[in-house]
Every structure is written in C-alpha cells, then in structure tokens.
C-alpha cells in the first residue's frame, strides 16, 4: 500500500521545478511512511511513499523493466500477482523482485493496455512508457483506491490525494472552490465522481484509465458489469437454483478472503459485531487456520450506540484475539479539526472519527485489516431498499387523503419524514435523491445563503444521477438492482470507500474489502432481486450463506448502522467547539449559509425539537475544510 503522485508535461508550459516531486511525496507521507522513491526524466516525474506489505525487503518503487523504458508507481494490492508472474515468466519475462508492482511492468510489456483487465485487486497505478512517450493512470474496478488529477500550465498532475496536487505551486495558486459542489456535498453527503470541491480537480472514475499522449488526454473504461444474468426475465427458478447460488456465493467469498489474506506482515480485521464483518472474520479464521486479531470500537457512557456485546459474542464464538477501543467526546473534541486535513475530498459521515481512532489502535499491532464494506450495496442491506417497495402503495392513496399528510408530517421526525417525502416521488431518480439527502430539501433551502441559493436555482443535482440510470439501461434492471447500481457508482466509492481509505491510510494502515472483489460483484449483480430482498428481509442470500459460519443471533438481529453519538455530544461536551466554529466571523463571511437560520438549527437541536447532528456536522466540516485547504 502506498501513496503515488506525479506529472507529465504534455503541452508547452512552464516546467515544474525539481523539488516538486519531493513536496508531492511529503504531502502524502502518511500513506507510506516506510520508504519513498522518485523517477524523473524528460517530461515525466513519478513518486511514491511506501507502506511495505509484499516483498518488504525488495519491493521499493518506482520499478522498471530490464532496460528502463517502462516505469511504474502503484498504490494497492494485486491479489493474483503470483499467477500473473507465472504466466509472464513462461512468456520469457525476468523478475528481480517478488513484489506485485513488478508484475504490472511486465504485464504491460506483454499485453499492452489490455494488461489492466487481467488484474484482480484494489489499485491506483501510474505507468510511463518512454518509447511511446505515454503516461497511463488507472483506478481499480470498484474505486477502492483513490486517484485524482488536474491540468495546469501544460502538465497533467495526479496523486492519491488532492494534497499531492496542491503541493505543486501552480496548482495551489490557481485553486478555486466549486460552489456548486458545496451544494452537492450538503445534499448527498459526498461529491459524486468525477467532481471534487476544487474546480478543475477531478477523480478518475472507477474501472477507468487515462492516457496522456501526443498532447491529448483520453479517459477510457476497461470494465463494466456483464449483461448476463442468472435468471432470464419472466422465467421461474427453483429451490435447487437458489441453493446452487448460495454455494457459489460461499465459494466466491471464501476465495476472495483467501486472496486478501496474502501479506508479508501481520493481518487483522475490524469487527463491528454485524453480519458482514463477522462473516469476514469467520472466513479469515477458516482460511488462515489461526486466531485472527480483531478490533472493535465503542462509546463511553452511550449505551444506545454501543454494539460491543455483539462483537464480543462473535469474538468468543470464533476465538479471535480481540481488542476494544472506547471513544469519548473528549477524544473527538481535538480530533474533529485535526482529521479534516486528511479529508481533502470530504464526506459528511461522522463514522470517519471513530474509524480513524480504531485504525490507529489496530496499527499498533497489524499493518493490514480486512473490513465488511460492500455487502449492503451488493445484496440490498439498507432499509431504503426495503421501504421503496411501498412506493406503488403510496401512489394508490387518494389525493384527498394525501392532502392531509403535510399537516401530519410537520410533526414527523426523521427518518420517517424523509421516507414519506421519498416514497411520494414519482421517478426512481428523485426517490433515490430523497433517500440520500443529508437533510430535507426545505431545511437546506432555508439554510442557504446567497451563494448556495444561486446554485440551487441554477443547478440540478439529479442530472448526475440520471446519467448513471441511463448508463444502466442495457442491463434492464428492476428497481432494486437500479438502486444498488446507483450506490455502486456513487455512495460506495465516493462516501464509504473514501472514508475507509482516508481513515486507514491516515493511520498508515491498509484496509482490504473482500466483498468488493470484482468477480464477486459481477456474481451479485447477476442474481435476481428476489434472492437479495425477500419479504422485507435484505441480504437474504448472504444470510443463507452465512448460516454455515456464524451464529443465527448475529445473522438475524436488526440492522443498525455505525452510529456515532454526536447528537448528545453536540449538546454537551462538543457544544463549545460547535458554537465557536459556527459562530465565527469566517463562517459568517463565507456566504454559504444564513446565520439566523443556522442559529435556529442549533437551537432546535439543543432543545431537542429536532435531531440535527448530521446537518450540524456537515456545517462544521465545510467551515473546517475551508480553513485547512482554502484560507
């Protein structure tokens, strides 16, 4: 695992100074404190910071082919690198290390750009072909590893984090906030690919690569979900079919976990006590045939938010070597401003805070952890997937009865108010947007200052979502699989995986996500909706597969997200921080929010009229982000 960065001059412009690469590497040193490496020749510069996982002694980067005409830097893991190495050796290639990085170089020599489709893993890659004066940057199938880029003064500049780009003086001097994306962030809780909060700084989409050659930039896809399905539309399947899919799911999942256990350093796991992470730890225990180090996080004096009793039960069942970290408000008081520096592409997700702390906790003993992210998005685990089934029933309610609901809904609390709003939207795009909102549309509209009001009048966030739905048209998905597809393309890479990468890499810890092996993703999307969501039960087929490995009590307990007690803490321990930031002159002068309305939101939260902790955290994050990266 590493951080990578670099540049290539593809048009006439002001040459970058020699120290730029060192500054770029220093900006992302937390991603790889073990080593760094640099290559600069002619128009190109590559650098990396290394967290040594595979071939610790000899896997330094950048790495080249035998005659030094192809160079690469790489962030991530190639899980099938051993098989690829054997193929390439048979084809006559010679290796000087056992690292997966060197496999990339020789695979490109052998297969050209088609080498990307042969990779299994999580990765961000930059490869320079000196003979053809071509730079290729690549992002993995699902978007587990980040990769950003921009153009400035005739240069393509890229990096694992935006901080690496801002380390280039010309990029830093030209940076501008994209106010439209401030609105998007305050609506969706994240900024969808390819945009960021900086104008001109873009995320390379998952499953895509960018070629820079002969003065041109071109972004190309290398992978899409196959159109094939396990079930032909309209055809009934049998119980035997279902049992066969359960066994195939088990086989594919165990295979993914086995591959992701490969490392030359200690490997552990995050264990929340939910089904997804418990199944990961169970599979690790079976494959490794040893006790797995597991790590959980809880909250002091906050019984309603703690799930430690479940993680303890699983740890006892699986005999893992278990550790627990207790978090209190005092820890977060100093952490919230500090952690913003790692969130140059921020998400409004308070789980970032304990996730970072438990990453630091685990890093004391291991360099790699496996996590349970991705299961909900593949197999329909969120409540909104189940709730959306009632849309047609809501539409059938007579209009005169619906007319009474606004009077009743005014007293509804979220998420029920939000659910009612969503289910009344006619199109799936608008329902998805309603389900995804940070807060109710009218709440944000009331909060908006002049800058955001302008964007609200002139921007249509749903257009981004509509493009993704249009992209899914050839698959002929039903509503559930369309919702899952939308989350695969937005929420998963831009929020959840963004959070996992930033919090783990800020602690110099590698986090792997076995549910998101792209072959397992393909399998999940080939299944009919009825084996994912059945009778209101989400992840139905995954639960059937899990029965063999973890207690039914864990499988069948009610789903509870990773909630952080910011609500009560904002009323007490974190209140001074909140009032200081949201009452500051700098916050008022931004022009994003109406201060009187902000004060009303704070008052309503403090008095218990409405729980606005997520909205308040969003306001806090926007201000702290500006102080860190703009002021």
């Amino acid at each position: 695992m590493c951080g990578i960065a670099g540049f290539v001059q593809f048009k006439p412009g002001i040459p970058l100074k020699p120290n730029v690469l060192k500054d770029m590497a220093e900006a992302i040193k937390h991603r790889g404190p073990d080593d760094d490496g640099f290559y600069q020749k002619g128009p190109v510069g590559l650098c990396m910071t290394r967290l040594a996982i595979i071939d610790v002694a000899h896997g330094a980067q950048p790495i080249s082919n035998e005659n030094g005409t192809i160079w690469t830097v790489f962030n991530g893991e190639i899980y099938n690198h051993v098989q690829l190495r054997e193929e390439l050796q048979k084809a006559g290639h010679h290796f000087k290390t056992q690292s997966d990085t060197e496999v990339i170089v020789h695979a490109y020599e052998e297969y050209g750009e088609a080498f990307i489709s042969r990779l299994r893993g999580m990765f961000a890659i930059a490869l320079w072909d000196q003979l053809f004066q071509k730079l290729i940057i690549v992002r993995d199938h699902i978007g587990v590893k980040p990769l950003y880029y921009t153009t400035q003064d005739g240069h393509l500049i890229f990096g694992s984090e935006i901080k690496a780009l801002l380390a280039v003086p010309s990029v830093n001097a030209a940076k501008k906030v994209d106010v439209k994306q401030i609105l998007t962030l305050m609506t969706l809780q994240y900024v969808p690919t390819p945009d960021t909060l900086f104008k001109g700084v873009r995320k390379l989409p998952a499953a895509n690569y960018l070629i820079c050659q002969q003065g041109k930039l071109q972004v190309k896809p290398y992978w899409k979900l196959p159109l094939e399905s396990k079930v032909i539309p309209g055809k009934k399947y049998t119980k035997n079919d279902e049992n066969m899919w359960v066994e195939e799911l088990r086989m594919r999942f165990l295979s993914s976990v086995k591959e992701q256990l490969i490392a030359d350093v200690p490997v552990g796991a995050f264990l929340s006590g939910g089904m997804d992470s418990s199944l990961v730890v169970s599979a690790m225990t079976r494959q490794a045939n040893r006790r797995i180090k597991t790590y959980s996080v809880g909250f002091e004096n906050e019984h309603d938010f703690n799930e430690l009793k479940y993680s303890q039960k699983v740890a006892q069942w699986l005999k893992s070597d278990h550790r627990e970290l207790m978090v209190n408000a005092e820890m977060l008081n100093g952490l919230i401003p500090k952690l913003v520096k790692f969130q140059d592409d921020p998400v409004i997700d308070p789980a970032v805070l304990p996730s970072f702390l438990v990453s630091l906790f685990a890093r004391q003993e291991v360099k790699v952890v496996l996590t349970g992210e991705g299961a909900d998005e593949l197999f329909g685990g969120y409540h909104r997937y189940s709730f959306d089934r009632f849309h047609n029933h809501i539409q059938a309610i007579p209009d005169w009865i619906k007319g009474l609901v606004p009077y009743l809904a005014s007293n509804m609390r979220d998420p029920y108010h939000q659910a009612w709003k969503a289910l009344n939207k006619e199109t799936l795009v608008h329902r998805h947007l309603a389900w995804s909102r940070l807060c109710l549309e009218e709440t944000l509209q009331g909060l908006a200052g002049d800058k955001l009001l302008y964007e609200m009048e002139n921007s249509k966030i749903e257009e981004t979502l509509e493009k993704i739905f249009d992209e899914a048209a050839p698959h002929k998905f039903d509503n559930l699989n369309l919702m899952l597809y939308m989350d695969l393309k937005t929420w998963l890479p831009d929020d959840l995986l963004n959070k996992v990468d930033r919090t783990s890499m800020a602690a110099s810890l590698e986090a792997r996500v076995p549910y998101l092996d792209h072959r397992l993703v393909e399998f999940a999307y080939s299944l009919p909706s009825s084996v994912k969501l059945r009778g209101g039960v989400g992840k139905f087929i995954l639960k059937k597969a899990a029965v063999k490995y973890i207690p039914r009590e864990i499988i069948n307990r009610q789903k509870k997200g990773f909630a952080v007690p910011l609500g009560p803490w904002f009323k007490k321990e974190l209140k001074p921080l909140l009032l200081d930031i949201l009452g500051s002159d700098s916050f008022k002068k931004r022009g994003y929010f109406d201060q009187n309305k902000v004060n009303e939101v704070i008052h309503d939260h403090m008095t218990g009229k409405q729980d606005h902790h997520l909205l308040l955290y969003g306001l806090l994050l926007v201000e702290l982000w500006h102080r860190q990266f703009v002021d």
Side-chain angles (χ1 to χ4, degrees):
M1 183 65 68
C2 307
I4 65 170
F7 61 83
V8 64
Q9 185 169 353
F10 67 101
K11 287 183 178 180
I14 303 172
L16 296 179
K17 294 182 179 179
N19 66 330
V20 162
L21 278 181
K22 288 188 178 294
D23 292 340
M24 295 178 82
E26 185 62 31
I28 53 174
K29 187 68 175 177
H30 53 276
R31 297 185 70 91
D34 295 337
D35 191 15
D36 56 25
F38 304 90
Y39 171 78
Q40 188 165 4
K41 185 175 181 181
V44 71
L46 305 175
C47 66
M48 56 76 65
T49 61
R50 186 184 183 214
L51 184 65
I53 304 293
I54 301 291
D55 194 6
V56 174
H58 306 105
Q61 301 179 39
I63 201 163
S64 71
N65 61 349
E66 294 91 336
N67 58 11
T69 58
I70 298 169
W71 289 84
T72 194
V73 287
F74 156 61
N75 167 30
E77 303 293 344
I78 306 300
Y79 298 127
N80 63 330
H81 74 94
V82 174
Q83 300 96 304
L84 287 173
R85 177 187 300 274
E86 291 172 355
E87 291 177 17
L88 292 164
Q89 286 175 328
K90 289 178 182 178
H93 294 268
H94 299 282
F95 288 78
K96 55 190 176 185
T97 75
Q98 294 299 311
S99 72
D100 49 353
T101 309
E102 191 176 4
V103 168
I104 293 169
V105 170
H106 293 294
Y108 173 75
E109 279 188 301
E110 183 70 21
Y111 307 117
E113 293 171 17
F115 87 95
I116 306 168
S117 298
R118 294 175 175 266
L119 305 180
R120 295 203 304 270
M122 55 180 191
F123 48 82
I125 299 168
L127 185 144
W128 172 245
D129 185 332
Q130 182 178 313
L131 293 177
F132 290 92
Q133 295 288 287
K134 176 167 64 173
L135 180 74
I136 302 173
I137 61 174
V138 189
R139 192 175 179 197
D140 65 64
H141 301 73
I142 311 301
V144 181
K145 292 289 98 185
L147 194 53
Y148 300 87
Y149 68 95
T150 190
T151 55
Q152 189 71 36
D153 289 341
H155 290 77
L156 169 69
I157 302 162
F158 66 88
S160 294
E161 297 182 16
I162 297 174
K163 285 182 285 296
L165 279 58
L166 296 178
V168 179
S170 59
V171 175
N172 191 55
K175 68 186 176 188
K176 290 183 180 179
V177 177
D178 189 338
V179 179
K180 177 182 176 181
Q181 302 311 328
I182 296 289
L183 172 63
T184 305
L185 177 66
M186 290 300 296
T187 301
L188 296 175
Q189 306 175 54
Y190 60 88
V191 177
T193 300
D195 296 306
T196 71
L197 291 185
F198 292 101
K199 284 186 177 179
V201 175
R202 300 172 74 79
K203 306 170 196 172
L204 184 66
N208 277 256
Y209 65 108
L210 183 154
I211 301 173
C212 181
Q213 187 180 27
Q214 297 179 340
K216 296 180 181 179
L217 306 180
Q218 187 176 12
V219 176
K220 295 181 177 181
Y222 65 84
W223 175 81
K224 293 181 180 179
L225 283 176
L227 295 176
E228 294 82 6
S229 174
K230 295 289 182 185
V231 173
I232 299 172
K235 180 182 178 181
K236 292 184 178 181
Y237 61 90
T238 67
K239 193 72 173 178
N240 286 337
D241 291 327
E242 187 175 296
N243 291 336
M244 181 178 63
W245 296 333
V246 168
E247 288 304 318
E248 185 173 354
L249 174 55
R250 286 173 177 158
M251 178 196 70
R252 287 177 178 268
F253 179 70
L254 289 172
S255 174
S256 177
V257 171
K258 183 177 181 179
E259 283 189 344
Q260 298 195 24
L261 280 169
I262 297 173
D264 296 330
V265 295
V267 179
F270 288 156
L271 180 61
S272 70
M275 182 185 70
D276 303 339
S277 63
S278 300
L279 187 54
V280 168
V281 175
S282 177
M284 292 173 71
T285 304
R286 286 172 171 267
Q287 301 282 7
N289 196 28
R290 59 176 171 82
R291 296 180 69 191
I292 301 297
K293 291 184 181 295
T294 55
Y295 304 89
S296 299
V297 61
F299 303 100
E300 289 183 6
N301 305 316
E302 297 293 344
H303 181 267
D304 291 343
F305 292 85
N306 274 327
E307 296 192 289
L308 290 179
K309 64 180 180 181
Y310 297 108
S311 58
Q312 291 165 1
K313 186 179 290 277
V314 175
Q316 291 170 4
W317 176 273
L318 296 174
K319 297 181 173 58
S320 71
D321 187 4
H322 192 56
R323 309 281 192 275
E324 293 177 353
L325 173 69
M326 295 301 292
V327 174
N328 57 43
E330 185 62 30
M331 293 178 182
L332 299 193
N333 198 44
L335 180 64
I336 290 175
K338 177 183 177 182
L339 191 54
V340 170
K341 75 175 184 178
F342 296 110
Q343 294 182 272
D344 44 28
D345 184 21
V347 296
I348 302 177
D349 186 347
V352 163
L353 304 166
S355 295
F356 174 59
L357 289 174
V358 77
S359 293
L360 287 173
F361 183 54
R363 183 62 179 85
Q364 297 173 27
E365 297 183 319
V366 300
K367 266 191 172 183
V368 177
V369 291
L370 271 61
T371 79
E373 271 77 18
D376 288 311
E377 292 77 15
L378 295 187
F379 300 105
Y382 295 130
H383 292 311
R384 65 176 180 267
Y385 302 141
S386 179
F387 288 162
D388 199 72
R389 297 173 302 144
F390 299 111
H391 165 67
N392 291 334
H393 300 293
I394 296 293
Q395 294 299 300
I397 296 175
D399 289 341
W400 69 270
I401 295 180
K402 284 186 182 180
L404 299 174
V405 172
Y407 300 100
L408 301 174
S410 61
N411 294 318
M412 284 184 184
R413 292 191 171 223
D414 287 337
Y416 307 108
H417 195 172
Q418 185 180 25
W420 174 258
K421 289 276 188 180
L423 290 171
N424 271 283
K425 303 292 184 182
E426 289 190 9
T427 68
L428 186 56
V429 169
H430 288 89
R431 293 203 302 280
H432 185 91
L433 179 57
W435 287 121
S436 305
R437 282 188 173 276
L438 171 67
C439 61
L440 294 173
E441 187 174 5
E442 54 265 36
T443 302
L444 182 57
Q445 194 159 17
L447 272 175
D450 292 340
K451 287 184 177 179
L452 287 193
L453 280 174
Y454 175 82
E455 294 298 337
M456 292 180 85
E457 292 171 359
N458 295 279
S459 303
K460 290 187 176 181
I461 294 174
E462 60 268 25
E463 288 180 350
T464 299
L465 307 183
E466 286 170 349
K467 290 178 182 177
I468 297 173
F469 276 106
D470 291 342
E471 175 189 303
H475 294 274
K476 298 180 180 178
F477 288 141
D478 58 16
N479 276 11
L480 174 62
N481 278 320
L482 269 175
M483 293 178 75
L484 295 174
Y485 186 81
M486 176 63 71
D487 281 339
L488 179 73
K489 293 295 184 178
T490 56
W491 170 260
L492 188 61
D494 294 324
D495 187 297
L496 289 188
L497 295 177
N498 180 323
K499 176 192 72 179
V500 171
D501 177 81
R502 289 302 192 277
T503 56
S504 60
M505 294 311 297
S508 303
L509 179 75
E510 174 171 303
R512 300 177 178 179
V513 281
Y515 286 105
L516 296 179
D517 177 282
H518 77 273
R519 298 164 303 168
L520 184 55
V521 172
E522 291 175 351
F523 172 73
Y525 276 87
S526 73
L527 297 173
S529 292
S530 56
V531 299
K532 299 174 185 177
L533 179 63
R534 181 172 297 180
V537 177
K539 295 191 286 194
F540 177 79
I541 190 170
L542 187 62
K543 289 177 179 179
K544 286 197 70 172
V547 167
K548 191 174 179 179
Y549 305 114
I550 56 177
R552 287 183 181 271
E553 179 184 353
I554 299 299
I555 295 171
N556 296 326
R557 77 181 180 89
Q558 186 175 1
K559 180 177 177 59
K560 185 178 180 181
F562 189 15
V564 181
L566 278 186
W569 286 350
F570 274 152
K571 294 179 182 180
K572 295 179 182 178
E573 296 93 338
L574 297 180
K575 183 177 179 179
L577 173 69
L578 183 73
L579 296 182
D580 178 60
I581 301 298
L582 299 189
S584 64
D585 289 339
S586 59
F587 179 77
K588 295 172 185 176
K589 290 176 181 178
R590 303 283 178 205
Y592 296 132
F593 308 104
D594 182 304
Q595 189 63 42
N596 291 329
K597 294 295 184 180
V598 170
N599 292 339
E600 285 182 22
V601 168
I602 294 173
H603 177 268
D604 288 350
H605 182 82
M606 297 302 174
T607 59
K609 183 177 179 180
Q610 184 68 275
D611 182 358
H612 283 306
H613 78 273
L614 191 58
L615 176 56
L616 291 171
Y617 178 69
L619 296 171
L620 200 65
L621 185 61
V622 168
E623 172 60 20
L624 291 172
W625 180 87
H626 276 77
R627 294 185 185 186
Q628 179 70 43
F629 294 104
V630 180
D631 294 349

